[in-house]
Amino acid sequence: MEILLTRHGQTEWNFLKKVQGKADIKLNEKGIEQAKNVKDKLKNEQIDLILCSPLIRAVETANIINADRNIPILITEKLSERDFGEFEGMPTTDFDYEAFWSYKQNIQYEKAENIRNFFQRVYGFLNDIYLKYKDKRILLVAHGGISIPVYCYFNGIPDQDTLLDLVIENCEVVKYVYKEN
């Protein structure tokens, strides 16, 4: 089974370097263009199913990619971005953003989703889709934060303090292959 993962196109908050977890921000013009470029990049790729976050920036991206293809799209809350809680909408420079993405530190916040709970959510989702869609080639349309535990699921958690350097760019596409045990 193969998975293609892409992050939604750029939003105004991405451009302003503001964290957006559950905030439902639409794509900006650049984000729409990025999604169209991914559509062209993936036009010859066999994709059996698109699994997508319910947040509008991901749904818009999935719909652009899927234009003229008619691939089934399933919306799943399990691909929603990490809940940034009290940090939602803040510039990344206004709090310790690197520590927020530290699996080692595992900081418990008042409202924000704990990193290990976030990883468990994404790992459980990846286990479930492997069992359910073992013979399919799936495109996940999600978020930068989701790209971190997806990378770690397939490659292990690197021994580093922050995992921020694992985030994929807006509309970057990466491929993962499930390996039989």
Side-chain angles (χ1 to χ4, degrees), residues 112-140:
E113 189 174 8
N114 168 268
I115 193 166
R116 293 195 182 181
N117 293 341
F118 176 60
F119 268 58
Q120 284 179 338
R121 169 167 58 97
V122 176
Y123 279 26
F125 169 75
L126 292 169
N127 287 337
D128 289 347
I129 66 169
Y130 175 72
L131 294 174
K132 191 169 184 178
Y133 304 112
K134 202 180 273 197
D135 59 339
K136 304 284 185 205
R137 191 154 196 252
I138 297 174
L139 172 65
L140 305 180

Side-chain angles (χ1 to χ4, degrees), residues 9-171:
Q10 186 186 74
T11 68
E12 202 56 33
W13 280 23
N14 291 139
F15 176 74
L16 296 172
K17 307 257 187 267
K18 293 167 71 171
V19 294
Q20 59 186 340
K22 300 298 182 182
D24 218 4
I25 312 295
K26 290 183 171 205
L27 298 178
N28 62 18
E29 285 184 35
K30 182 176 181 180
I32 291 168
E33 284 306 309
Q34 289 171 326
K36 288 177 181 176
N37 289 337
V38 170
K39 175 189 175 199
D40 291 342
K41 182 178 180 176
L42 296 177
K43 69 181 174 190
N44 295 320
E45 293 281 347
Q46 171 61 40
I47 298 170
D48 299 307
L49 179 65
I50 298 173
L51 298 175
C52 182
S53 161
L55 297 170
I56 191 68
R57 57 195 183 266
V59 172
E60 287 178 322
T61 302
N63 286 334
I64 291 168
I65 291 169
N66 197 30
D68 307 321
R69 300 234 8 215
N70 205 27
I71 301 166
I73 298 177
L74 298 178
I75 305 296
T76 176
E77 187 67 39
K78 292 180 181 179
L79 282 176
S80 281
E81 179 60 285
R82 184 175 175 190
D83 189 339
F84 286 96
E86 58 268 37
F87 308 113
E88 187 79 25
M90 292 176 67
T92 57
T93 54
D94 284 7
F95 67 103
D96 193 344
Y97 194 54
E98 291 198 6
F100 187 80
W101 288 104
S102 174
Y103 195 83
K104 286 181 177 181
Q105 290 184 42
N106 192 32
I107 299 170
Q108 300 292 321
Y109 297 98
E110 187 177 325
K111 297 177 186 170
E113 189 174 8
N114 168 268
I115 193 166
R116 293 195 182 181
N117 293 341
F118 176 60
F119 268 58
Q120 284 179 338
R121 169 167 58 97
V122 176
Y123 279 26
F125 169 75
L126 292 169
N127 287 337
D128 289 347
I129 66 169
Y130 175 72
L131 294 174
K132 191 169 184 178
Y133 304 112
K134 202 180 273 197
D135 59 339
K136 304 284 185 205
R137 191 154 196 252
I138 297 174
L139 172 65
L140 305 180
V141 182
H143 305 276
I146 291 286
S147 71
I148 294 172
V150 171
Y151 172 91
C152 294
Y153 180 89
F154 288 98
N155 297 293
I157 299 170
D159 186 24
Q160 57 197 53
D161 197 43
T162 184
L163 301 176
L164 269 175
D165 62 338
L166 303 179
V167 172
I168 63 174
E169 298 296 321
N170 292 106
C171 284

